[in-house]
Coordinates of all heavy atoms in Angstrom, one line a residue:
D13 N -42.3 -27.5 -20.5 CA -43.3 -27.6 -21.6 C -43.2 -29.0 -22.2 O -44.2 -29.5 -22.6 CB -43.1 -26.5 -22.6 CG -43.4 -25.1 -22.0 OD1 -44.4 -25.0 -21.3 OD2 -42.8 -24.1 -22.4
F14 N -42.0 -29.5 -22.4 CA -41.8 -30.8 -23.0 C -40.4 -31.3 -22.7 O -39.5 -30.7 -22.3 CB -42.1 -30.7 -24.6 CG -41.2 -29.8 -25.3 CD1 -40.1 -30.2 -25.9 CD2 -41.6 -28.5 -25.5 CE1 -39.3 -29.3 -26.6 CE2 -40.9 -27.5 -26.2 CZ -39.7 -28.0 -26.8
I15 N -40.3 -32.7 -23.0 CA -39.1 -33.4 -22.8 C -38.5 -33.9 -24.1 O -39.3 -34.4 -24.9 CB -39.3 -34.6 -21.9 CG1 -39.7 -34.1 -20.5 CG2 -38.0 -35.4 -21.8 CD1 -40.1 -35.3 -19.5
V16 N -37.2 -33.7 -24.3 CA -36.6 -34.1 -25.6 C -35.6 -35.2 -25.2 O -34.9 -35.1 -24.2 CB -35.8 -32.9 -26.2 CG1 -35.0 -33.4 -27.4 CG2 -36.8 -31.9 -26.6
R17 N -35.6 -36.3 -26.0 CA -34.6 -37.3 -25.8 C -33.7 -37.2 -27.1 O -34.1 -37.3 -28.2 CB -35.2 -38.7 -25.8 CG -34.2 -39.8 -25.5 CD -34.8 -41.2 -25.4 NE -35.7 -41.2 -24.2 CZ -36.0 -42.3 -23.6 NH1 -35.7 -43.5 -24.1 NH2 -36.8 -42.2 -22.6
T18 N -32.4 -37.1 -26.8 CA -31.4 -37.0 -27.9 C -31.0 -38.4 -28.4 O -31.3 -39.4 -27.8 CB -30.1 -36.3 -27.4 OG1 -29.5 -37.1 -26.4 CG2 -30.4 -34.9 -26.9
I19 N -30.3 -38.4 -29.5 CA -29.9 -39.6 -30.1 C -28.9 -40.4 -29.1 O -29.0 -41.6 -29.1 CB -29.1 -39.4 -31.5 CG1 -30.1 -38.8 -32.5 CG2 -28.5 -40.6 -32.0 CD1 -29.5 -38.4 -33.8
K20 N -28.2 -39.6 -28.4 CA -27.3 -40.3 -27.4 C -28.0 -40.7 -26.1 O -27.4 -41.3 -25.2 CB -26.2 -39.3 -27.0 CG -25.3 -38.8 -28.1 CD -24.3 -37.9 -27.6 CE -23.3 -37.5 -28.8 NZ -22.3 -36.6 -28.3
G21 N -29.3 -40.5 -26.0 CA -30.1 -41.0 -24.9 C -30.3 -40.0 -23.8 O -30.9 -40.3 -22.8
D22 N -29.7 -38.8 -23.9 CA -29.9 -37.8 -22.9 C -31.4 -37.3 -22.9 O -31.9 -37.2 -24.0 CB -29.0 -36.6 -23.2 CG -27.5 -36.9 -23.0 OD1 -27.2 -37.9 -22.3 OD2 -26.6 -36.3 -23.7
K23 N -31.9 -36.9 -21.8 CA -33.2 -36.3 -21.7 C -33.0 -34.9 -21.2 O -32.3 -34.6 -20.3 CB -34.1 -37.1 -20.7 CG -34.5 -38.4 -21.2 CD -35.4 -39.1 -20.2 CE -35.8 -40.5 -20.6 NZ -36.7 -41.1 -19.6
I24 N -33.8 -34.0 -21.9 CA -33.7 -32.6 -21.6 C -35.2 -32.1 -21.4 O -36.0 -32.2 -22.3 CB -33.1 -31.8 -22.7 CG1 -31.7 -32.3 -23.0 CG2 -32.9 -30.3 -22.3 CD1 -31.1 -31.8 -24.2
L25 N -35.4 -31.5 -20.2 CA -36.7 -30.9 -20.0 C -36.6 -29.4 -20.4 O -35.8 -28.7 -20.0 CB -37.1 -30.9 -18.4 CG -38.3 -30.2 -18.0 CD1 -39.5 -30.9 -18.7 CD2 -38.4 -30.3 -16.5
I26 N -37.5 -29.1 -21.4 CA -37.4 -27.8 -22.1 C -38.6 -26.9 -21.5 O -39.7 -27.4 -21.5 CB -37.6 -27.9 -23.6 CG1 -36.5 -28.8 -24.1 CG2 -37.6 -26.5 -24.2 CD1 -35.2 -28.3 -24.2
E27 N -38.3 -25.7 -21.1 CA -39.3 -24.8 -20.7 C -39.1 -23.5 -21.7 O -38.1 -23.0 -21.8 CB -39.0 -24.3 -19.3 CG -40.0 -23.2 -18.7 CD -41.4 -23.7 -18.4 OE1 -41.5 -24.9 -18.3 OE2 -42.3 -22.9 -18.2
I28 N -40.3 -23.1 -22.3 CA -40.2 -22.0 -23.2 C -40.9 -20.8 -22.5 O -42.1 -20.9 -22.0 CB -40.9 -22.3 -24.5 CG1 -40.1 -23.4 -25.2 CG2 -41.0 -21.1 -25.4 CD1 -40.7 -23.9 -26.5
K29 N -40.2 -19.7 -22.4 CA -40.7 -18.5 -21.8 C -40.3 -17.2 -22.5 O -39.3 -17.2 -23.2 CB -40.2 -18.3 -20.4 CG -40.8 -19.3 -19.4 CD -42.3 -18.9 -19.1 CE -42.8 -19.9 -18.1 NZ -44.2 -19.9 -18.1
P30 N -41.1 -16.1 -22.5 CA -40.6 -14.9 -23.0 C -39.4 -14.4 -22.2 O -39.3 -14.6 -21.0 CB -41.8 -13.9 -22.8 CG -43.0 -14.8 -22.5 CD -42.4 -16.0 -22.0
S31 N -38.5 -13.8 -22.9 CA -37.2 -13.4 -22.1 C -37.5 -12.4 -21.0 O -36.8 -12.4 -20.0 CB -36.2 -12.8 -23.1 OG -36.7 -11.6 -23.8
R32 N -38.5 -11.6 -21.1 CA -38.9 -10.6 -20.1 C -39.3 -11.3 -18.8 O -39.2 -10.7 -17.7 CB -39.9 -9.7 -20.5 CG -41.3 -10.3 -20.7 CD -42.4 -9.2 -21.2 NE -43.6 -9.8 -21.2 CZ -44.1 -10.5 -22.3 NH1 -43.3 -10.7 -23.3 NH2 -45.3 -11.0 -22.2
Q33 N -39.7 -12.6 -18.8 CA -40.1 -13.3 -17.7 C -38.9 -14.0 -17.0 O -39.0 -14.6 -15.9 CB -41.2 -14.3 -17.9 CG -42.5 -13.7 -18.3 CD -43.6 -14.7 -18.5 OE1 -43.4 -15.9 -18.3 NE2 -44.8 -14.3 -18.9
C34 N -37.7 -13.9 -17.6 CA -36.6 -14.6 -17.1 C -35.6 -13.7 -16.4 O -34.6 -14.1 -15.8 CB -35.8 -15.3 -18.3 SG -36.8 -16.5 -19.2
V35 N -35.9 -12.4 -16.3 CA -35.2 -11.5 -15.6 C -36.0 -10.7 -14.6 O -37.2 -10.5 -14.9 CB -34.4 -10.5 -16.5 CG1 -33.3 -11.2 -17.4 CG2 -35.3 -9.7 -17.4
K36 N -35.4 -10.4 -13.5 CA -36.2 -9.6 -12.5 C -36.5 -8.2 -13.0 O -35.7 -7.6 -13.5 CB -35.4 -9.5 -11.2 CG -36.2 -8.9 -10.0 CD -35.4 -9.0 -8.8 CE -36.2 -8.5 -7.6 NZ -35.6 -8.7 -6.3
P37 N -37.8 -7.8 -12.9 CA -38.2 -6.5 -13.4 C -37.5 -5.4 -12.6 O -37.4 -5.6 -11.3 CB -39.7 -6.5 -13.3 CG -40.1 -7.6 -12.3 CD -39.0 -8.6 -12.4
K38 N -37.2 -4.3 -13.2 CA -36.6 -3.1 -12.5 C -37.7 -2.5 -11.6 O -38.8 -2.3 -12.1 CB -36.0 -2.2 -13.5 CG -34.8 -2.7 -14.3 CD -34.3 -1.7 -15.2 CE -33.1 -2.3 -16.0 NZ -32.6 -1.4 -17.0
T39 N -37.4 -2.1 -10.5 CA -38.3 -1.5 -9.5 C -38.5 0.0 -10.0 O -37.5 0.7 -9.9 CB -37.8 -1.6 -8.1 OG1 -37.6 -2.9 -7.8 CG2 -38.9 -1.0 -7.1
P40 N -39.7 0.3 -10.3 CA -40.0 1.7 -10.7 C -40.1 2.6 -9.5 O -40.2 2.1 -8.3 CB -41.3 1.7 -11.5 CG -42.0 0.4 -10.9 CD -40.9 -0.5 -10.5
K41 N -40.1 3.9 -9.6 CA -40.3 4.8 -8.5 C -41.7 4.6 -7.8 O -41.8 4.6 -6.6 CB -40.2 6.3 -8.9 CG -38.8 6.7 -9.4 CD -38.8 8.1 -9.8 CE -37.3 8.4 -10.2 NZ -37.2 9.8 -10.6
K42 N -42.7 4.3 -8.6 CA -44.0 4.0 -8.1 C -44.4 2.6 -8.5 O -44.3 2.2 -9.7 CB -45.0 5.0 -8.7 CG -46.4 4.8 -8.3 CD -47.4 5.8 -8.9 CE -48.8 5.5 -8.4 NZ -49.8 6.4 -9.0
K43 N -44.7 1.8 -7.5 CA -45.0 0.4 -7.8 C -46.4 0.3 -8.4 O -47.4 0.4 -7.7 CB -44.9 -0.4 -6.6 CG -43.4 -0.5 -6.1 CD -43.3 -1.5 -4.9 CE -41.8 -1.5 -4.5 NZ -41.7 -2.4 -3.3
T44 N -46.5 0.0 -9.7 CA -47.7 -0.1 -10.4 C -48.2 -1.5 -10.4 O -47.5 -2.5 -10.0 CB -47.6 0.4 -11.9 OG1 -46.6 -0.5 -12.5 CG2 -47.0 1.8 -11.9
K45 N -49.5 -1.6 -10.8 CA -50.1 -3.0 -10.9 C -49.3 -3.9 -11.9 O -49.1 -5.1 -11.7 CB -51.6 -2.9 -11.3 CG -52.5 -2.5 -10.2 CD -53.9 -2.5 -10.7 CE -54.8 -2.0 -9.6 NZ -56.2 -2.0 -10.1
S46 N -48.9 -3.2 -13.0 CA -48.1 -3.9 -14.0 C -46.7 -4.4 -13.4 O -46.4 -5.6 -13.7 CB -47.8 -3.0 -15.1 OG -47.0 -3.6 -16.2
F47 N -46.1 -3.6 -12.6 CA -44.8 -4.1 -12.1 C -45.1 -5.2 -11.0 O -44.4 -6.2 -11.0 CB -44.2 -2.9 -11.3 CG -43.1 -3.4 -10.4 CD1 -41.8 -3.8 -10.9 CD2 -43.3 -3.5 -8.9 CE1 -40.8 -4.3 -10.0 CE2 -42.3 -3.9 -8.1 CZ -41.1 -4.3 -8.6
M48 N -46.2 -5.1 -10.3 CA -46.5 -6.1 -9.3 C -46.8 -7.5 -10.0 O -46.4 -8.5 -9.6 CB -47.7 -5.7 -8.4 CG -47.4 -4.5 -7.6 SD -46.0 -4.7 -6.4 CE -46.8 -5.6 -5.2
R49 N -47.5 -7.4 -11.1 CA -47.8 -8.6 -11.9 C -46.5 -9.2 -12.5 O -46.4 -10.4 -12.4 CB -48.8 -8.2 -13.0 CG -49.4 -9.3 -13.7 CD -50.5 -9.0 -14.7 NE -50.4 -7.7 -15.3 CZ -51.0 -6.6 -15.0 NH1 -52.0 -6.6 -14.1 NH2 -50.9 -5.4 -15.7
E50 N -45.7 -8.4 -13.1 CA -44.4 -8.9 -13.6 C -43.5 -9.5 -12.5 O -42.9 -10.5 -12.8 CB -43.7 -7.7 -14.3 CG -44.3 -7.3 -15.6 CD -43.7 -6.0 -16.1 OE1 -42.6 -5.6 -15.6 OE2 -44.2 -5.4 -17.1
N51 N -43.4 -8.8 -11.4 CA -42.7 -9.3 -10.3 C -43.2 -10.7 -9.8 O -42.4 -11.6 -9.5 CB -42.6 -8.3 -9.1 CG -41.5 -8.5 -8.2 OD1 -40.4 -8.8 -8.6 ND2 -41.8 -8.4 -6.9
F52 N -44.5 -10.8 -9.7 CA -45.1 -12.0 -9.2 C -44.8 -13.2 -10.2 O -44.5 -14.3 -9.8 CB -46.6 -11.9 -9.0 CG -47.3 -13.2 -8.8 CD1 -47.2 -13.8 -7.5 CD2 -48.0 -13.8 -9.7 CE1 -47.9 -15.0 -7.2 CE2 -48.7 -15.0 -9.5 CZ -48.6 -15.6 -8.2
E53 N -44.9 -12.9 -11.5 CA -44.6 -13.8 -12.5 C -43.1 -14.3 -12.5 O -42.9 -15.5 -12.6 CB -44.9 -13.2 -13.9 CG -44.9 -14.2 -15.1 CD -46.1 -15.2 -14.9 OE1 -47.2 -14.8 -14.5 OE2 -46.0 -16.4 -15.3
Y54 N -42.2 -13.4 -12.2 CA -40.8 -13.7 -12.1 C -40.6 -14.6 -10.9 O -39.9 -15.6 -11.0 CB -40.0 -12.4 -12.0 CG -38.6 -12.7 -11.7 CD1 -37.7 -13.1 -12.7 CD2 -38.0 -12.5 -10.4 CE1 -36.3 -13.4 -12.4 CE2 -36.7 -12.8 -10.1 CZ -35.9 -13.2 -11.1 OH -34.6 -13.5 -10.8
I55 N -41.2 -14.3 -9.7 CA -41.0 -15.1 -8.5 C -41.6 -16.5 -8.7 O -41.0 -17.5 -8.4 CB -41.7 -14.3 -7.4 CG1 -40.9 -13.1 -7.0 CG2 -41.7 -15.3 -6.1 CD1 -41.5 -12.2 -6.1
K56 N -42.8 -16.5 -9.3 CA -43.4 -17.8 -9.6 C -42.6 -18.7 -10.5 O -42.4 -19.9 -10.3 CB -44.8 -17.6 -10.3 CG -45.6 -18.9 -10.5 CD -47.0 -18.6 -11.0 CE -47.0 -18.1 -12.4 NZ -48.3 -18.0 -13.0
N57 N -42.0 -18.1 -11.6 CA -41.1 -18.8 -12.5 C -39.9 -19.4 -11.8 O -39.4 -20.5 -12.0 CB -40.7 -18.0 -13.7 CG -41.9 -17.8 -14.7 OD1 -42.8 -18.7 -14.7 ND2 -41.8 -16.8 -15.5
Q58 N -39.3 -18.5 -10.9 CA -38.1 -18.9 -10.2 C -38.4 -20.2 -9.4 O -37.6 -21.1 -9.3 CB -37.6 -17.8 -9.3 CG -37.0 -16.6 -10.0 CD -35.8 -17.0 -10.9 OE1 -34.9 -17.6 -10.4 NE2 -35.8 -16.7 -12.1
A59 N -39.6 -20.2 -8.7 CA -39.9 -21.4 -7.9 C -40.2 -22.6 -8.8 O -39.7 -23.7 -8.4 CB -41.2 -21.0 -7.1
K60 N -40.8 -22.4 -9.9 CA -41.0 -23.5 -10.8 C -39.7 -24.1 -11.4 O -39.6 -25.3 -11.5 CB -41.9 -23.1 -12.0 CG -43.3 -22.9 -11.7 CD -44.2 -22.3 -12.8 CE -43.9 -22.6 -14.2 NZ -44.8 -22.0 -15.2
W61 N -38.8 -23.2 -11.7 CA -37.5 -23.6 -12.3 C -36.7 -24.3 -11.2 O -36.0 -25.3 -11.6 CB -36.8 -22.4 -12.9 CG -37.6 -21.9 -14.1 CD1 -38.6 -22.5 -14.9 CD2 -37.6 -20.5 -14.6 NE1 -39.1 -21.7 -15.8 CE2 -38.5 -20.4 -15.7 CE3 -36.8 -19.4 -14.3 CZ2 -38.7 -19.3 -16.4 CZ3 -37.0 -18.2 -15.0 CH2 -37.9 -18.2 -16.0
N62 N -36.7 -23.8 -10.0 CA -36.0 -24.6 -9.0 C -36.5 -25.9 -8.7 O -35.7 -26.9 -8.6 CB -36.0 -23.7 -7.6 CG -35.1 -22.5 -7.7 OD1 -34.2 -22.4 -8.5 ND2 -35.5 -21.5 -6.9
A63 N -37.8 -26.1 -8.8 CA -38.4 -27.4 -8.6 C -38.1 -28.3 -9.8 O -37.8 -29.5 -9.7 CB -40.0 -27.3 -8.5
A64 N -38.1 -27.7 -11.1 CA -37.8 -28.4 -12.2 C -36.3 -28.9 -12.2 O -36.0 -30.1 -12.6 CB -38.1 -27.6 -13.5
M65 N -35.4 -28.1 -11.8 CA -34.0 -28.4 -11.7 C -33.8 -29.5 -10.7 O -33.0 -30.5 -11.0 CB -33.2 -27.2 -11.3 CG -32.9 -26.2 -12.5 SD -31.8 -24.9 -12.1 CE -32.9 -23.7 -11.5
A66 N -34.5 -29.5 -9.6 CA -34.4 -30.5 -8.6 C -34.9 -31.8 -9.2 O -34.3 -32.9 -8.9 CB -35.1 -30.2 -7.3
Y67 N -36.0 -31.8 -9.8 CA -36.6 -33.0 -10.4 C -35.6 -33.5 -11.5 O -35.4 -34.8 -11.5 CB -38.0 -32.6 -11.2 CG -38.6 -33.7 -11.9 CD1 -39.3 -34.7 -11.3 CD2 -38.4 -33.8 -13.3 CE1 -39.9 -35.8 -12.0 CE2 -38.9 -34.9 -14.0 CZ -39.7 -35.8 -13.4 OH -40.2 -36.9 -14.1
C68 N -35.0 -32.7 -12.3 CA -34.1 -33.2 -13.4 C -32.9 -33.8 -12.7 O -32.4 -34.8 -13.2 CB -33.7 -32.0 -14.3 SG -35.1 -31.6 -15.4
D69 N -32.3 -33.2 -11.7 CA -31.2 -33.7 -11.0 C -31.5 -35.1 -10.5 O -30.7 -36.0 -10.6 CB -30.8 -32.8 -9.8 CG -30.0 -31.5 -10.3 OD1 -29.6 -31.5 -11.5 OD2 -29.9 -30.7 -9.5
D70 N -32.7 -35.3 -9.9 CA -33.1 -36.5 -9.3 C -33.3 -37.6 -10.4 O -33.0 -38.8 -10.2 CB -34.5 -36.4 -8.6 CG -34.8 -37.6 -7.8 OD1 -34.0 -38.2 -7.1 OD2 -36.0 -38.0 -7.9
K71 N -33.7 -37.2 -11.6 CA -34.0 -38.2 -12.7 C -32.8 -38.3 -13.7 O -33.0 -39.0 -14.7 CB -35.3 -37.7 -13.5 CG -36.5 -37.7 -12.6 CD -37.0 -39.0 -12.1 CE -38.2 -38.9 -11.4 NZ -38.7 -40.2 -10.8
G72 N -31.8 -37.6 -13.5 CA -30.6 -37.6 -14.4 C -30.9 -36.9 -15.7 O -30.4 -37.4 -16.7
M73 N -31.7 -35.9 -15.6 CA -32.0 -35.1 -16.8 C -31.4 -33.8 -16.8 O -30.8 -33.3 -15.7 CB -33.6 -34.9 -16.9 CG -34.3 -36.3 -17.0 SD -36.1 -36.0 -16.8 CE -36.5 -35.0 -18.1
K74 N -31.4 -33.1 -17.9 CA -31.0 -31.6 -18.0 C -32.2 -30.8 -18.0 O -33.2 -31.2 -18.5 CB -30.1 -31.4 -19.2 CG -28.8 -32.2 -19.2 CD -28.0 -32.0 -20.4 CE -26.8 -32.9 -20.4 NZ -26.1 -32.9 -21.7
F75 N -32.0 -29.5 -17.6 CA -33.1 -28.5 -17.7 C -32.7 -27.3 -18.5 O -31.6 -26.8 -18.3 CB -33.5 -28.1 -16.3 CG -34.6 -27.1 -16.2 CD1 -35.9 -27.4 -16.6 CD2 -34.4 -25.8 -15.7 CE1 -36.9 -26.4 -16.6 CE2 -35.4 -24.8 -15.7 CZ -36.7 -25.2 -16.2
K76 N -33.5 -26.9 -19.4 CA -33.1 -25.8 -20.3 C -34.3 -24.8 -20.5 O -35.4 -25.3 -20.8 CB -32.7 -26.4 -21.7 CG -32.5 -25.3 -22.7 CD -31.1 -24.8 -22.6 CE -30.8 -23.9 -23.8 NZ -29.9 -22.8 -23.5
I77 N -34.1 -23.5 -20.3 CA -35.1 -22.6 -20.6 C -34.7 -21.9 -21.9 O -33.6 -21.5 -22.2 CB -35.0 -21.4 -19.5 CG1 -35.3 -22.1 -18.1 CG2 -36.1 -20.4 -19.8 CD1 -35.0 -21.2 -17.0
I78 N -35.7 -21.8 -22.8 CA -35.5 -21.3 -24.1 C -36.5 -20.1 -24.3 O -37.7 -20.2 -24.0 CB -35.9 -22.3 -25.2 CG1 -34.9 -23.5 -25.1 CG2 -35.8 -21.7 -26.6 CD1 -35.2 -24.6 -26.1
T79 N -35.9 -19.0 -24.8 CA -36.7 -17.8 -25.0 C -36.8 -17.5 -26.5 O -36.1 -18.2 -27.3 CB -36.1 -16.6 -24.3 OG1 -34.8 -16.3 -24.9 CG2 -35.9 -16.8 -22.8
E80 N -37.5 -16.4 -26.9 CA -37.5 -16.0 -28.3 C -36.2 -15.7 -28.8 O -35.9 -15.8 -30.0 CB -38.5 -14.9 -28.5 CG -38.0 -13.6 -28.0 CD -38.2 -13.3 -26.5 OE1 -38.7 -14.1 -25.8 OE2 -37.9 -12.1 -26.1
K81 N -35.2 -15.3 -27.9 CA -33.8 -15.1 -28.4 C -33.2 -16.3 -29.0 O -32.4 -16.2 -30.0 CB -33.1 -14.4 -27.2 CG -33.5 -13.1 -26.8 CD -32.8 -12.6 -25.6 CE -33.3 -11.2 -25.3 NZ -32.7 -10.7 -24.1
E82 N -33.4 -17.4 -28.4 CA -32.8 -18.7 -28.9 C -33.6 -19.2 -30.1 O -33.1 -19.8 -31.0 CB -32.8 -19.8 -27.8 CG -31.7 -19.6 -26.7 CD -32.2 -18.7 -25.6 OE1 -33.4 -18.4 -25.5 OE2 -31.3 -18.3 -24.9
L83 N -34.9 -19.0 -30.1 CA -35.8 -19.4 -31.2 C -35.7 -18.5 -32.4 O -35.9 -19.0 -33.5 CB -37.2 -19.6 -30.7 CG -37.5 -20.6 -29.7 CD1 -38.9 -20.5 -29.2 CD2 -37.2 -22.0 -30.2
G84 N -35.4 -17.3 -32.2 CA -35.4 -16.3 -33.3 C -36.8 -15.7 -33.4 O -37.8 -16.4 -32.9
Q85 N -37.0 -14.6 -33.9 CA -38.3 -13.9 -34.0 C -38.7 -14.1 -35.5 O -38.0 -13.8 -36.4 CB -38.2 -12.5 -33.6 CG -37.9 -12.3 -32.2 CD -37.8 -10.9 -31.8 OE1 -38.0 -9.9 -32.6 NE2 -37.6 -10.6 -30.5
Y86 N -39.9 -14.5 -35.6 CA -40.5 -14.8 -36.9 C -41.6 -13.8 -37.2 O -42.4 -13.5 -36.5 CB -41.0 -16.2 -37.1 CG -39.9 -17.2 -36.9 CD1 -39.7 -17.9 -35.7 CD2 -39.1 -17.5 -38.0 CE1 -38.6 -18.8 -35.5 CE2 -38.1 -18.5 -37.8 CZ -37.9 -19.1 -36.6 OH -36.9 -20.0 -36.4

């Protein structure tokens, strides 16, 4: 979502996501459309995050995922 540069000169690529999208959904007895959508979102995020980590490694940056748990609920 954005890049932060610290006072020390470190660069951090920040991704903000709901915590439910950061964990694999539990497989229900019956695979519903909702489960399929959540599973697709999880798989898509994993691919994006792997690419982001590779990019950050290449550029000497850090990668951080932040959820509402780190931000707090308002």
Side-chain angles (χ1 to χ4, degrees):
D13 291 326
F14 56 93
I15 296 173
V16 173
R17 183 179 295 198
T18 65
I19 294 173
K20 295 181 180 180
D22 296 332
K23 289 184 183 177
I24 306 168
L25 177 61
I26 305 288
E27 177 76 14
I28 299 176
K29 287 289 181 199
S31 60
R32 70 179 183 278
Q33 291 183 6
C34 297
V35 294
K36 186 173 184 171
K38 293 180 183 176
T39 305
K41 291 180 181 180
K42 182 179 178 185
K43 293 185 179 177
T44 63
K45 286 183 182 181
S46 175
F47 167 75
M48 298 300 284
R49 188 173 35 255
E50 290 172 9
N51 199 44
F52 174 75
E53 194 68 35
Y54 173 77
I55 292 168
K56 184 174 71 169
N57 284 338
Q58 291 297 308
K60 285 174 33 178
W61 297 336
N62 287 334
M65 284 187 268
Y67 175 82
C68 287
D69 286 343
D70 188 46
K71 301 293 183 183
M73 299 169 62
K74 296 177 185 176
F75 179 65
K76 174 81 174 150
I77 300 168
I78 298 177
T79 68
E80 73 277 3
K81 292 176 183 178
E82 285 86 14
L83 293 174
Q85 295 181 356
Y86 298 98

